[in-house]
Amino acid sequence: MSEISQRYEFYQFEELKRDEIEALQNYRLPQAVAQALHAPWYADRLGSANINPEKITTRAALQYLPFTSKEDLRAGMPWEFLAVPKSQVVRMHYSSGTIGLATAVYHTAGDIRRWSECVARGMLQVGVTSDDIFQNMMGYGLFTGGLGLHYPAELIGCMTIPAGAGHTQRQIEIMQKFGTTVIHILPSYAMRTAHSCGERGLHPQEDLSLRIALVGAEPHTPQTRARIEEALGIKAYNCYGLSEMCGPGVAMECPAQEGLHLREDHYLAEIIDPDTREPLPDGEEGELVLTTLTREAMPLLRYRTRDITRILPAQCPCGDQHRRIAPILGRIDDMLIIRGTNVYPMQIERILMDTPEVGSNYLINLDTVDEMDEMTVSIELSDSYPPDDVRQLEGLRQQIRKRLAEELLFRPEVKLVEPHSLPATDGKAERVQDNRRR
Ligand code: DLL
């Protein structure tokens, strides 16, 4: 038994061997299906399809189960997906989602405990300890980013500061005064916080005690991560999750930073082709589909996350045998179809964040001009780039246009703008404004 699991018993599940993980999944799967049958929506769906939970004992048998979608959840609001008496529910989160009506997610006390343990495992794995001072810079409330890491941090024994999102000056004051060592933060906000440090004449590497950032809740590229690490002098680890699956902690990066380990003893993952709904082999990019294995209040079977990723086939150098997913490329809904070409904003971000003259923020505008799609990418210049030479600026603009054209297969318009002049929110970054006539 490792030192960590001697202190934190639940960490043993992180150390399971591959065959043990799969055996546990196969053991839990029929129980998960049986639990789902307590929810009116599944009773109806599975009952009419004559599905016997005892027969669903392997990943291969999953194919007999129907998918569940966000639209199903909306149609079943408020109570159709609840699988326990209301008296057993201790918490509800409510997700606005990126589009459309919000959906509620219910938790029993056991659900909250298991969720906290999942997240705590990821935090322990990257070296968070009870000596850490943890500043949680994500929104508390109906969004799961706040409470979703608060309890795990307390479970580990960190001094936990429920700072919430925004109020950057106060955040930095707290970091300085109390010697914050670990933060949980949106990647876009991490870059803004680093900039605010600079404005106050602070050098994070020397003037703060930060060492780890857990970043998530929105897509970001490895290039953005590298910038966060450099600007704050820390290691940044990607944390993925969604309200429907409790929240953060479905998959988290380990010290190897080569993909995110799924907490496979609680979530069974499949990758499907979003159009044909056929399962795809490991390594192929598609939509992530998740089945909860231990949820009591709101079990979900084959939930279509709309998130695009792939399973990384090889074993991780860190030794953890839970399979990994690649960083999320984006949501299916984020995919832009421009002049017939499919484009994910992350393809654009990758190029921009690889260009040292570019700052941390950008905005993609889509318009209809002469019946054609037109894309304009407004890009903030970096603070350290002196934009006084017009020819030099035009050269940079053309160079970015060319690199984008090579990636996207059409040539978007590019505008270079002053540092920190584009709109920014304290919540998830909004990268696209689509004003096209349909
Ligand atoms: O964003 C839960 C969360 C909070 C995750 C804090 C990580 C940290 P929702 O608001 O329901 O839940 O949004 C879920 O956000 O389906 C993805 O599209 C996106 N997302 C979440 N984490 C990542 C990530 C929370 N690490 C939706 N990388 C998901 C890329 C992410 N996208």
Side-chain angles (χ1 to χ4, degrees), residues 366-411:
L366 301 173
D367 294 284
T368 309
V369 179
D370 295 336
E371 303 306 315
M372 288 275 283
D373 295 338
E374 206 58 66
M375 177 193 270
T376 307
V377 189
S378 301
I379 304 165
E380 286 183 0
L381 287 165
S382 137
D383 286 316
S384 51
Y385 185 69
D388 44 8
D389 182 331
V390 178
R391 261 177 313 180
Q392 212 182 331
L393 265 183
E394 181 56 17
L396 173 65
R397 195 178 77 84
Q398 290 301 349
Q399 178 205 329
I400 296 174
R401 269 193 99 190
K402 183 162 168 278
R403 290 195 58 202
L404 288 173
E406 282 162 6
E407 170 74 25
L408 307 178
L409 307 179
F410 66 90
R411 192 171 282 254

Side-chain angles (χ1 to χ4, degrees), residues 70 94-98 115 136 138 142-146 148-149 184-187 214-220 237-251 260 303 305-308 326-334 346 428:
K70 182 88 175 172
Y94 197 53
S95 149
S96 58
T98 32
W115 175 19
N136 195 0
M138 289 253 187
L142 293 173
F143 175 58
T144 54
L149 263 85
H184 177 218
I185 190 165
L186 286 165
L214 299 151
V215 294
E218 64 184 13
H220 57 286
Y237 299 103
N238 194 343
C239 167
Y240 165 77
L242 56 160
S243 316
E244 299 89 313
M245 295 287 135
C246 287
V250 170
L260 295 80
Y303 183 70
T305 64
R306 316 286 292 160
D307 288 324
I308 300 292
I328 304 290
L329 180 63
R331 296 176 61 78
I332 295 174
D333 324 282
D334 293 341
M346 283 308 106
K428 300 190 187 202

Side-chain angles (χ1 to χ4, degrees), residues 304-342:
R304 294 188 60 173
T305 64
R306 316 286 292 160
D307 288 324
I308 300 292
T309 183
R310 63 199 162 91
I311 302 272
L312 300 177
Q315 204 188 303
C316 182
C318 82
D320 187 330
Q321 298 192 12
H322 289 260
R323 292 187 307 164
R324 293 163 300 155
I325 52 169
I328 304 290
L329 180 63
R331 296 176 61 78
I332 295 174
D333 324 282
D334 293 341
M335 191 182 76
L336 309 167
I337 303 179
I338 298 153
R339 301 186 195 173
T341 307
N342 297 349

Side-chain angles (χ1 to χ4, degrees), residues 203-217:
H203 300 282
Q205 290 87 336
E206 289 134 44
D207 301 320
L208 301 177
S209 314
L210 294 180
R211 57 185 201 92
I212 292 176
L214 299 151
V215 294

